[in-house]
């Protein structure tokens, strides 16, 4: 895939996750490949690229908690939620890619920065 087209496709995916009026409270998004290499990070998760492999490892470890599901054709990877007072991070694998989305807890959005 040409680099410009690949980049615009990634931008469209990220915009659909954190862009627009209806998603204005989403703080950030990060997407890794199967090895834990950060493919893209935006918003409040932009600074997480050095630790991005942790999210992929969490998904792999959580999948081992239900090993009988991993052998089924319709395997649905677990959704992991990490919560703190300031925010929650939702982590899930989609088509071999690990996606982490940070959202503020409750009405607290002051801690999230767009780093733009």
């Amino acid at each position: 895939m040409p680099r410009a087209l690949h980049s615009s496709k990634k931008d469209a995916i990220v915009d659909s996750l954190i862009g627009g009026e209806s998603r204005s409270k989403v703080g950030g998004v990060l997407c890794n490949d199967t090895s834990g290499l950060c493919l893209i990070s935006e918003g409040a998760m932009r600074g997480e690229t050095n630790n991005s492999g942790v999210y992929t490892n969490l998904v792999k470890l959580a999948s081992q908690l239900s090993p009988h599901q991993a052998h089924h054709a319709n395997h649905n990877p677990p959704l992991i939620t990490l919560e703190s007072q300031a925010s929650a991070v939702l982590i899930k694998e989609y088509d071999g890619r690990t996606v982490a989305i940070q959202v503020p807890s409750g009405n607290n959005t002051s801690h999230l920065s767009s780093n733009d």
Side-chain angles (χ1 to χ4, degrees):
M1 181 179 292
R3 186 173 190 90
L5 179 60
H6 189 261
S7 179
S8 65
K9 185 176 181 180
K10 284 195 303 188
D11 291 343
I13 292 169
V14 171
D15 285 343
S16 72
L17 289 170
I18 65 171
E21 185 73 27
S22 64
R23 293 178 179 85
S24 62
K25 295 194 187 275
V26 174
V29 64
L30 179 137
C31 182
N32 291 339
D33 67 6
T34 56
S35 299
L37 177 66
C38 183
L39 299 173
I40 191 164
S41 63
E42 292 294 331
M45 296 194 77
R46 184 172 286 165
E48 295 289 321
T49 57
N50 290 336
N51 298 317
S52 64
V54 171
Y55 298 108
T56 300
N57 286 335
L58 283 172
V59 168
K60 288 178 181 179
L61 289 170
S63 294
Q64 292 176 8
L65 293 174
S66 299
H68 64 280
Q69 287 185 344
H71 300 303
H72 294 333
N74 295 332
H75 171 61
N76 190 13
L79 171 65
I80 302 166
T81 306
L82 304 174
E83 295 184 59
S84 69
Q85 288 183 331
S87 66
V89 178
L90 308 171
I91 309 163
K92 188 163 173 85
E93 180 186 317
Y94 295 97
D95 295 328
R97 306 289 193 262
T98 301
V99 177
I101 300 174
Q102 182 180 15
V103 294
S105 294
N107 293 327
N108 183 9
T109 58
S110 61
H111 70 286
L112 298 175
S113 65
S114 64
N115 294 331
D116 289 333

